[in-house]
Every structure is written in C-alpha cells, then in structure tokens.
Amino acid sequence: MRLRIASFTQCRTCQAARKSDAVTEEDIACLAPDDDRFSAREQAALAYADDFVNDWFAIDDDTYGALGRHFTTDEVVELQMFCAMMLAGGRLALVQRAWAEDSDPAGERVSRE
C-alpha cells in the first residue's frame, strides 16, 4: 500500500525504500489492485488505497464489505490510518520540496544548509 500510494504522491523516499529485497522494480511497475500476483487480501487493500487517494467519495458500504471479507474491523481501521499517514506524508514531502535537488516555487534550487 505504501508503494502504491507513493506512485500517486510521488514521494521519492517511499518510492525508493523497500521493506524486502524480494521486491523488484517489475513488482513496483505492476503494483495494481487487479494484478494476479497479489492475493485477494492484498488486492482488496490496494483497491482501498487507490480509492483513498483518488476517489474517497466512492468509499461506501460495498467497499467496507469487500474489506470485511479479508480483514477484521481492527485491521480495516489500521489500513485506514496507514493510508492517511502515507498520503499525508507523501504530499507533505512534495510541497515542502524535501529533497536536495528540489526547487523552490520560483525555480531556484532550495538550500538545505
């Protein structure tokens, strides 16, 4: 979910960080809710992350029903909190121009000194 959300927020830290050496660039390129390399549980989480980022008004009882087939209520709340943290963190880093090669709004390179 973190890597999927980073594909929308363009958070370079999240895009570069891997929690496992087994995650390949091919895995990242195919990171989508309908990819059959993911279990039904993982697909449900990825679909929720997509809606959370892109179409939060679409999250409805059907969404919660789909999540409920794979997750407990506590796990759904944890997924929601994780999505919120990843979305907010990625957007914050982007608007803060958090990386050394970023430019300020006028196009000047931002000093990190």
Side-chain angles (χ1 to χ4, degrees):
M1 288 176 63
R2 178 182 57 83
L3 293 168
R4 181 65 177 163
I5 291 170
S7 71
F8 296 110
T9 64
Q10 299 300 301
C11 177
R12 292 184 224 167
T13 302
C14 288
Q15 287 176 323
R18 303 291 186 267
K19 302 290 183 188
S20 166
D21 292 336
V23 178
T24 67
E25 289 305 313
E26 180 182 330
D27 293 331
I28 302 304
C30 297
L31 193 58
D34 59 354
D35 193 298
D36 62 4
R37 76 180 70 213
F38 299 108
S39 69
R41 179 177 160 99
E42 291 167 328
Q43 289 176 346
L46 289 169
Y48 180 78
D50 278 12
D51 284 345
F52 193 92
V53 172
N54 293 309
D55 193 10
W56 52 96
F57 289 111
I59 296 173
D60 57 13
D61 289 342
D62 290 338
T63 304
Y64 289 114
L67 288 174
R69 288 190 286 281
H70 305 285
F71 298 97
T72 66
T73 300
D74 288 348
E75 289 173 324
V76 170
V77 171
E78 188 174 343
L79 287 172
Q80 292 171 318
M81 292 301 297
F82 188 75
C83 283
M85 289 185 329
M86 293 302 100
L87 180 59
R91 288 187 177 167
L92 178 63
L94 184 68
V95 299
Q96 286 180 329
R97 296 168 178 83
W99 300 281
E101 64 275 7
D102 288 344
S103 298
D104 71 12
E108 299 292 322
R109 186 158 173 206
V110 176
S111 172
R112 302 291 178 227
E113 298 173 30

